[in-house]
Amino acid sequence: MLAITIAIFIPFLAALLVPFIYKRVQSRSIGWFVMSVPLALFIYLASFIPAVAGGKTYIHTIKWIDSAGINFTTYLDGLSMIFGLLITGVGSLVILYSIYYLSEREALGRFYVYLLMFMGSMLGVILSDNIMVLYVFWELTSISSFLLIAFWYHRKKSRYGAQKSMLITVSGGVGMLAGFIMLYTMTGSYSVREIIETIGQYTNESLFLPAMLLVLLGAFTKSAQFPFHIWLPDAMEAPTPVSAYLHSATMVKAGIYLVARFTPVFGGEAVWFYTVTGVGIFTLFWGSVNAVRQTDLKALLAYSTISQLGLIMSLFGLGSAALNEGYSADSVIYTQATFAALFHLINHSTFKGALFMVVGIVDHQVGTRDIRRLGGLMTLMPVTFTIAVIGSFSMAGLPPFNGFLSKEMFFESVLNVRNLDIFAMGPLMGSLLPVVAWVASVLTFVYSMIIVFQTFLGKHQPDRLDRKAFEAPVGMLIAPSILALFVVGIFFFPNVVGTYLLGPAMTAVYPPFEGAEGLVPHIAAWHGFNAPIMMTIGVIAVGALLYIYLRYWRGIYSLAPMRWNLDSMYNGLLTQTEKTSSFLTRTYMTGYLRDYLVYIFVFFILTVGGGLLWTGGFSIDLSNDAPMTISEYIIIFVMMGASIAIIFAKSRMTAILLNGVLGYSIAILFVVFRAPDLALTQIIVETVTTALFLLCFYFLPEWSKEKSTRSLKVFKGIIAISVGTVVTVLALVVQGNKMFESISVYFENAYELAGGKNIVNTILGDFRAFDTMLEVVVLFIAGIGVFTLIKLKAGKGDEDVED
Amino acid sequence: MKINDVILQTVTKIVVFIILTFGVELFLSGHYNPGGGFIGGLVLSSAFVLLYLVFDIETVHKGIPFDFKKVAAFGVLLAVGTGLGSVLFGASFLTQTASYFNLPVFGATELSTVMLFEAGVALTVVGVVVTIILSISEDV
Amino acid sequence: METLITILVGVLVTVAVYLLLSKSLVRVILGTAILSHAVHLLLMTMGRLKKGAVPLLGENAESYTDALPQALILTAIVISFAVTSFLLVLAYRTYKETGSDNLDALRGFKDE
């Protein structure tokens, strides 16, 4: 399907158009144009749902770098369908919301260009089958996220947050690239589908484990898993629509996508199971612990996102157990974790997106997100309050919201693990998982309640707010309301989602289980009084108690181990790296051009000259030399004399004339060498160059005698003579050893091959036209460079562009 | 720069046309004989440079009202464009073709896409060389 | 002939390197110009000299001079022209802005 490939590029094309439209329409209505893009893509993708649910997959290849195995292959299956719908669906809603959220004074054009760029790259990540293409789009999402976080670049914190997220996600991405290359070295293919098919033969390779860990590094940094989660809270400096879109619903889920996509590749390994589950469950715990102590609503949501991502991640880890077991009726039960993960992925996007928008509305309406200043907004902003309740209660895992269903499934999966004996799961480890999961859920419950009760209930403090509180305009409420509707709707009709979206995705994650009984379970809200429901009741009871007595136990956050902080480690590392690298750079970057040239020449002498000495590659054969006439001797000796005289020239005029002598003599030599084209070109170029030199000399000072010490002159002389000698010897050696036949005979068929009789000209215009084309471009760049150098002058006050 | 030299100016007026003709001839003959886009372009631009040297910039600009930066840009566009043109016909980038046409004055003449490519090269050379020289001399 | 040309190349390279190591910007530019001359000659000798006719098929000769180095040199001549003119203008602008063409005096900003 070519159309799916085009779908990736439509956002990029739209991003190209935005600046032009924005120039004409400088108002928020540009948002409607931008919104039409993801909406159209959403509808288009949705039209494939029935076919994909029926087990169909779509694949399309555009040849790119075929010889290197890198092609533009798009692949639409159940897994990419879920993510594609999330990206375009949440994208449309976020843009709708941003139309009302962002003031018209903001640089809306720039904002939407970045947002569309992000959307395109994200679609590229999830639709690419080729891992190199996937990597390119992966880094593009990091870059567009950087640009969006730094949208208010005049703020120091925005720049800091942008840099932090960039550094962490991109270094993870580079690690992932290394992992991909290792995968390629093992399997010989860049296609995920081919790798999945053949990976079974390579699990014992020594590169297998490093490849797995590096791919996981990419996933963990992107999805803000412990200890790389520290970038996400700082990324909250971005405008709220961006936080809702990139940093909760889509980009941070790219890591999840990667884990899901590579589960069939690595999932059978114990290391994968332990790493993904362990990191995920600890992130779940750590995020929830930190979320409770936040006073900024957005920071709270950031930590809660970290925590929820950890939950999804751990579920994928648990689900991979099924692949290790191999296909059997018993092992199907472990796939339920993955099913829960995919389900929670959708649910999280709906309720967290809604919550972010709610926080944005509160911030927009009253001017603060600090829960210590908020309170009692329920009666003033009833609609916002309702949405907040729906979102928070769903996050806390309460019925009748979709979070309840996936939370129940999460508990069930965690409990199932106790029956696992394959990974030498001791009784301690087996019971530790459910306990940690339960504690984290209690804390989740607590911070969900904080969002609702401390913002909307309690005492209203109008004097501590920047603005008087009103309900938000209708336009701003539409998007979160739609998300809230999904939150409730999915609870009542979960099996629609299960059959049409989750089912096909399950087959993508578990190819060997295709069509297995129980792979796509029936989701029900009520299972009777079993362990998960007891756990939920416990969560509510203990959570409520903890919330009520929050102020009595909050003190533990000021205890020493809680203050031990990854952020300060990151900052310390950053400053240390900067210091060390600038120290290292200072030692050799002296600022003298001569020093740099000396480095180059000495390196050349040592490697080339030394190489010649070391290998003993001298064999000079002069027998093939062409005969010479007297006039040729004269030209050559004139040239030698002229060149040496340049060094001793008293005035620059003499020097330039001597250079002219060299140039014209070379033109004569070209005639001798039977190269008429060259002779012509050389004569004209020499003329124009000399004219240029003279033109510039009109303005430049007369050259003074070089005042340098004797030893410096000797040093320069030694370097110069050594370089000259090495070049001469090397050239003679090359001429004396003919190792290959010349390829030039090929070009002598110029008339048959290229229809021209001037061989040089056919090489330039036909055989190697690419060189000529690029050369023309270089020439043009030089011309433009000269023009700008002369015309572009910094006006006064323009000099301090950087602060 | 203002040079008032009647003899030089009169001679230049004639010589420039000789140089220009020579440049065009070199450019056209490039496929079979020495010549081609680079050399033709360089000769043409040296004619223009001569004009600028002998007359002042304003006078020449009245006679040749081109923006040479645009000439250069057009040249690049032409050179890259002929390459892309072959892609449209399903050949690989920069494939050149040629065939014979019966033209009224010249008789059977070979016209080839290389000519367009070379024209792009020549225009770029002319544009760049003149731009460089003009930029420096205008900036006093 | 090749040997003598190669030695000429060596001499040109020596002179060019010596000029490149100078303080004066104009000398450095002159050095790059001479270096490109040297390289053109070097490329030429690599295809052997004076073997066969001018590379024009109209000559109907038995064998032709190697055309490939010629094409390469033609490209190199034009590029080195572009580079030289750019460097010249750079020197010119530097002198206008700073009033010096001495590379040692141009070293960095004081407050760096």
Side-chain angles (χ1 to χ4, degrees), chain C residues 27 53 94 106:
Chain C
R27 276 180 223 255
T94 314
L106 290 172

Side-chain angles (χ1 to χ4, degrees), chain A residues 394-659:
Chain A
S394 175
M395 182 156 72
L398 300 178
F401 308 110
N402 55 9
F404 170 74
L405 300 174
S406 41
K407 203 54 150 295
E408 292 277 283
M409 292 164 80
F410 168 60
F411 284 145
E412 199 176 326
S413 309
V414 174
L415 291 170
N416 279 339
V417 171
R418 285 182 306 175
N419 310 327
L420 264 183
D421 46 14
I422 40 159
F423 296 131
M425 193 75 141
L428 182 71
M429 181 72 181
S431 27
L432 194 64
L433 271 179
V435 171
V436 176
W438 185 77
V439 172
S441 302
V442 171
L443 291 169
T444 306
F445 182 85
V446 173
Y447 69 68
S448 302
M449 294 308 115
I450 292 178
I451 296 173
V452 177
F453 291 106
Q454 306 213 355
T455 312
F456 293 98
L457 295 173
K459 210 165 143 282
H460 185 47
Q461 312 164 26
D463 47 317
R464 298 186 71 183
L465 300 178
D466 295 354
R467 287 187 279 277
K468 210 166 164 333
F470 284 111
E471 183 59 274
V474 182
M476 221 164 168
L477 291 169
I478 298 175
S481 309
I482 294 175
L483 285 173
L485 268 181
F486 271 105
V487 171
V488 182
I490 291 177
F491 175 81
F492 287 107
F493 306 101
N495 291 306
V496 179
V497 178
T499 328
Y500 284 99
L501 292 177
L502 306 181
M506 288 297 280
T507 352
V509 181
Y510 294 107
F513 287 70
E514 196 173 341
E517 178 113 3
L519 186 66
V520 186
H522 184 79
I523 311 170
W526 181 247
H527 294 282
F529 274 107
N530 53 5
I533 197 85
M534 304 300 273
M535 281 172 88
T536 304
I537 293 171
V539 164
I540 297 170
V542 179
L545 278 175
L546 278 180
Y547 175 70
I548 293 167
Y549 296 107
L550 181 60
R551 62 197 135 114
Y552 297 108
W553 59 274
R554 216 177 208 163
I556 59 162
Y557 283 111
S558 45
L559 292 177
M562 297 304 291
R563 276 195 298 209
W564 180 78
N565 191 323
L566 281 166
D567 273 306
S568 48
M569 271 176 65
Y570 164 83
N571 291 334
L573 193 68
L574 199 64
T575 33
Q576 200 55 46
T577 321
E578 276 172 7
K579 259 192 206 154
T580 320
S581 60
S582 66
F583 169 74
L584 278 178
T585 311
R586 255 168 234 276
T587 52
Y588 65 90
M589 297 295 277
T590 55
Y592 291 108
L593 179 68
R594 188 192 298 134
D595 288 355
Y596 305 150
L597 287 170
V598 167
Y599 299 154
I600 296 173
F601 290 135
V602 168
F603 183 77
F604 173 77
I605 295 167
L606 288 182
T607 48
V608 180
L612 273 179
L613 278 180
W614 196 49
T615 53
F618 294 108
S619 66
I620 296 174
D621 175 19
L622 307 176
S623 56
N624 254 333
D625 276 18
M628 290 183 71
T629 61
I630 283 289
S631 57
E632 288 158 17
Y633 276 113
I634 295 175
I635 297 170
I636 290 172
F637 284 114
V638 163
M639 285 182 73
M640 285 184 185
S643 65
I644 294 168
I646 289 178
I647 296 178
F648 301 104
K650 286 279 185 304
S651 83
R652 57 184 186 183
M653 206 51 96
T654 325
I656 205 65
L657 288 178
L658 287 171
N659 183 47

Side-chain angles (χ1 to χ4, degrees), chain B:
Chain B
M1 272 191 289
K2 191 137 189 166
I3 305 165
N4 227 341
D5 193 327
V6 180
I7 300 171
L8 191 60
Q9 291 190 351
T10 321
V11 172
T12 305
K13 275 180 198 161
I14 302 160
V15 166
V16 159
F17 276 99
I18 300 172
I19 302 179
L20 284 177
T21 323
F22 182 53
V24 173
E25 153 66 19
L26 275 178
F27 165 65
L28 289 176
S29 65
H31 223 44
Y32 291 105
N33 290 307
F38 279 119
I39 306 167
L42 280 167
V43 172
L44 289 178
S45 49
S46 62
F48 288 118
V49 171
L50 182 63
L51 273 183
Y52 281 110
L53 285 176
V54 172
F55 302 92
D56 57 319
I57 292 171
E58 286 78 29
T59 321
V60 182
H61 198 75
K62 259 180 233 155
I64 318 165
F66 299 133
D67 182 347
F68 280 92
K69 292 186 294 301
K70 286 180 186 155
V71 172
F74 179 70
V76 174
L77 196 69
L78 201 59
V80 179
T82 48
L84 287 176
S86 57
V87 175
L88 287 185
F89 290 101
S92 33
F93 189 63
L94 278 170
T95 308
Q96 315 282 16
T97 52
S99 69
Y100 287 88
F101 293 94
N102 263 318
L103 293 185
V105 185
F106 302 96
T109 312
E110 190 193 19
L111 287 183
S112 92
T113 53
V114 179
M115 223 50 183
L116 283 175
F117 182 74
E118 293 275 329
V121 174
L123 285 177
T124 316
V125 171
V126 172
V128 168
V129 172
V130 178
T131 305
I132 290 174
I133 302 266
L134 275 191
S135 310
I136 302 174
S137 28
E138 276 174 351
D139 183 68
V140 178

